[in-house]
Amino acid sequence: MSAVDYRAEARADKAAVAEQRRQDAAAAEQRRAARQLAEDERAARLTAQQAADKARRKVEKAAWRREKLTPQNVYRTGTLSLVVASGLASLPAQVMHFVEISPMLLPLPLALEGAAWVMAAGVAFADARQLAARVRWLLRTFVVAAASFASSINYGYGTHLDGLTPVQQTTAGVGLAAVTLLGPLLFEIRQWVSTLAADEGETPDARARRRHARLRRRHHRSVAKTAGRLLSAAPVDSLTEEDAWEMAWEIEQGADEPGMTPDLVARRVTRTAAYQAAEHTTRNSKKKGWFGRKRSTSDLRETSGPFPAPVEAESAAEHASASAPAEAEQVGRSAVVNLPKPVPVGFLKSTLTLKPVTARPARPARALAAESSRPARRITHRVPDSARTRRPTRTLDQLLAEARTKTADWPTADLTAEAIRRTVGTGAARARQIRDTLHAERTTTATAAGEAA
């Protein structure tokens, strides 16, 4: 190989090495740029994540403040804080007072203060469970007694502190006594406000029902007592409160309509009959007109033959008892109806005890007036329930059998309590029971058919 060729190959090798170095440097630069870009992207994502976390924490903190720092929570928490501060302020004075007497009396102030707070917690528990008012007032009496005794001890301890002027001693005693009473007082006010807030949270319907039940128990104590006994004697969920109330009203008052009594029924019938008589008289006078009222007796036709014998006047009560026992007879004035007086009976008796009826002597026959071909006038007023023939009471099984027969071709959507009540002719409570039974039967039948298929 000549020297020229050797030098040419050496230059070519150097050029190749230099080119390789340039390529390696370019590749290294590209890798460095890629790493830097990845680091920048990672830093940007981290910064964005931190900003998002910070914003989320800020939103969560704001939501927590809105949830926790409401007036209700601030009031409840603040009241508890004041109660704790009151206990911590009043307890040391009691401990010092009893320890100065004897170290053996150290548990006494703890028991005294604890009794007051336990009884206060008992008041809150009684309010939550809606116990009787006498239980809550008994617990409140214990709280007042314990707090008053502790207050007197703190007042005596404050007024006998050494190194103070009389004015300062009085101020210390009054302050210790006030802070002792402040804790139970604030706790009781807090419980009272919470109870009022819970009552305001009720729906208007629930509040109206509760008020109606309270008035019903207060106005009709005997009926409420009998209804309670009926509910306790019947199986669970077999008798509703309204049905028990209707039964108790009929037992106690002797009327099948709640709110009515035999006296009220008699007054209603009497006034209705008087109103009908007055209306009938007014209608007839309007039909006759002026000429009918002013007719002369000379226009009347004379009656031939012997005159009828005079008829003795009978009282309305005797005439009513002779013709119909409960029919109101119009005698030109307000009608009188003879209704049986209510007789008190025992609890859940099957029949009423009948009062003895004195036999009336037979009255001599009287001459009757001339018979008239005009038909008897029908009763124009409402016949009272006591004078009507009571329909036989059907049992639930009889009503169910009749409902199954009449609603056999009804679709399930039409099986409503109102439709069943109108078809069968029963009360709303019975209609609801029949509706639930029919729905359950149809559901069972459909399930059995599906399983068989």
Side-chain angles (χ1 to χ4, degrees), residues 304-444:
S304 60
F307 293 100
V311 180
E312 295 182 9
E314 293 183 1
S315 63
E318 295 175 354
H319 186 70
S321 61
S323 58
E327 182 178 354
E329 189 71 22
Q330 298 179 8
V331 292
R333 54 185 180 183
S334 61
V336 179
V337 178
N338 293 328
L339 294 177
K341 295 184 179 180
V343 181
V345 298
F347 180 68
L348 294 181
K349 281 191 176 181
S350 58
T351 58
L352 297 177
T353 304
L354 299 179
K355 295 182 66 176
V357 181
T358 57
R360 293 184 178 181
R363 298 176 59 87
R366 293 187 177 91
L368 299 178
E371 295 183 356
S372 175
S373 61
R374 186 177 60 182
R377 183 175 179 271
R378 64 182 181 87
I379 299 176
T380 58
H381 59 82
R382 181 177 179 272
V383 179
D385 295 338
S386 59
R388 295 181 179 179
T389 303
R390 298 184 62 88
R391 295 177 57 185
T393 303
R394 294 172 291 177
T395 63
L396 181 59
D397 295 336
Q398 295 174 350
L399 292 174
L400 277 173
E402 184 178 353
R404 290 192 190 99
T405 304
K406 293 184 178 180
T407 61
D409 55 345
W410 289 15
T412 306
D414 294 342
L415 282 177
T416 60
E418 182 62 22
I420 294 173
R421 184 185 68 80
R422 293 180 178 179
T423 303
V424 181
T426 183
R430 290 288 191 182
R432 289 192 292 269
Q433 294 180 1
I434 296 172
R435 177 201 61 191
D436 297 339
T437 304
L438 294 179
H439 276 285
E441 291 177 354
R442 293 197 177 189
T443 303
T444 305

Side-chain angles (χ1 to χ4, degrees), residues 44-376:
R45 288 196 301 270
L46 183 60
T47 303
Q49 184 65 30
Q50 291 177 352
D53 292 343
K54 184 178 180 180
R56 180 176 55 81
R57 288 193 298 270
K58 186 176 181 180
V59 171
E60 291 178 353
K61 188 178 293 184
W64 180 86
R65 284 197 299 267
R66 286 194 302 270
E67 181 181 357
K68 298 298 181 182
L69 298 181
T70 58
Q72 177 184 358
N73 292 335
V74 170
Y75 173 73
R76 297 178 62 181
T77 307
T79 304
L80 290 179
S81 302
L82 290 176
V83 166
V84 172
S86 171
L88 294 177
S90 62
L91 187 59
Q94 300 178 50
V95 172
M96 295 296 297
H97 175 78
F98 286 104
V99 168
E100 286 180 358
I101 298 174
S102 173
M104 299 296 294
L105 299 179
L106 177 61
L108 188 58
L110 302 177
L112 183 62
E113 195 74 17
W117 292 114
V118 167
M119 293 299 105
V123 174
F125 177 75
D127 287 336
R129 292 299 181 90
Q130 295 182 356
L131 299 181
R134 61 178 180 274
V135 177
R136 285 174 279 185
W137 283 109
L138 180 62
L139 294 174
R140 289 189 180 101
T141 303
F142 289 152
V143 172
V144 171
S148 301
F149 183 64
S151 175
S152 63
I153 292 174
N154 285 345
Y155 178 78
Y157 181 81
T159 54
H160 292 83
L161 289 175
D162 298 332
L164 299 178
T165 62
V167 177
Q168 293 176 346
Q169 290 178 348
T170 303
T171 303
V174 172
L176 288 174
V179 78
T180 304
L181 294 174
L182 182 64
L185 179 62
L186 290 177
F187 190 83
E188 181 61 28
I189 293 176
R190 173 181 176 273
Q191 184 60 32
W192 177 57
V193 173
S194 301
T195 304
L196 291 180
D199 293 340
E200 290 296 331
E202 291 182 344
T203 60
D205 294 339
R207 190 162 51 250
R209 285 194 297 269
R210 184 164 54 83
R211 186 183 301 111
H212 177 262
R214 185 172 61 252
L215 290 176
R216 174 185 275 185
R217 288 192 301 269
R218 187 174 64 186
H219 292 166
H220 312 285
R221 298 184 183 275
S222 60
V223 180
K225 186 177 180 180
T226 305
R229 290 184 176 180
L230 290 172
L231 287 173
S232 63
V236 179
D237 296 335
S238 64
L239 184 64
T240 62
E241 293 184 1
E242 292 300 326
D243 293 341
W245 185 265
E246 292 179 1
M247 295 170 60
W249 186 272
E250 187 171 1
I251 292 172
E252 293 292 335
Q253 302 296 339
D256 57 354
E257 182 180 355
M260 297 298 294
T261 60
D263 295 338
L264 294 179
V265 172
R267 289 171 57 187
R268 181 175 64 182
V269 172
T270 302
R271 294 188 179 183
T272 304
Y275 174 76
Q276 294 288 344
E279 185 180 6
H280 180 71
T281 303
T282 304
R283 190 185 301 114
N284 291 339
S285 63
K286 288 181 179 179
K287 287 182 180 179
K288 290 180 180 179
W290 187 84
F291 293 100
R293 292 193 298 271
K294 299 296 184 178
R295 290 182 61 186
S296 175
T297 56
S298 60
D299 297 336
L300 298 178
R301 300 177 60 182
E302 295 183 358
T303 304
S304 60
F307 293 100
V311 180
E312 295 182 9
E314 293 183 1
S315 63
E318 295 175 354
H319 186 70
S321 61
S323 58
E327 182 178 354
E329 189 71 22
Q330 298 179 8
V331 292
R333 54 185 180 183
S334 61
V336 179
V337 178
N338 293 328
L339 294 177
K341 295 184 179 180
V343 181
V345 298
F347 180 68
L348 294 181
K349 281 191 176 181
S350 58
T351 58
L352 297 177
T353 304
L354 299 179
K355 295 182 66 176
V357 181
T358 57
R360 293 184 178 181
R363 298 176 59 87
R366 293 187 177 91
L368 299 178
E371 295 183 356
S372 175
S373 61
R374 186 177 60 182

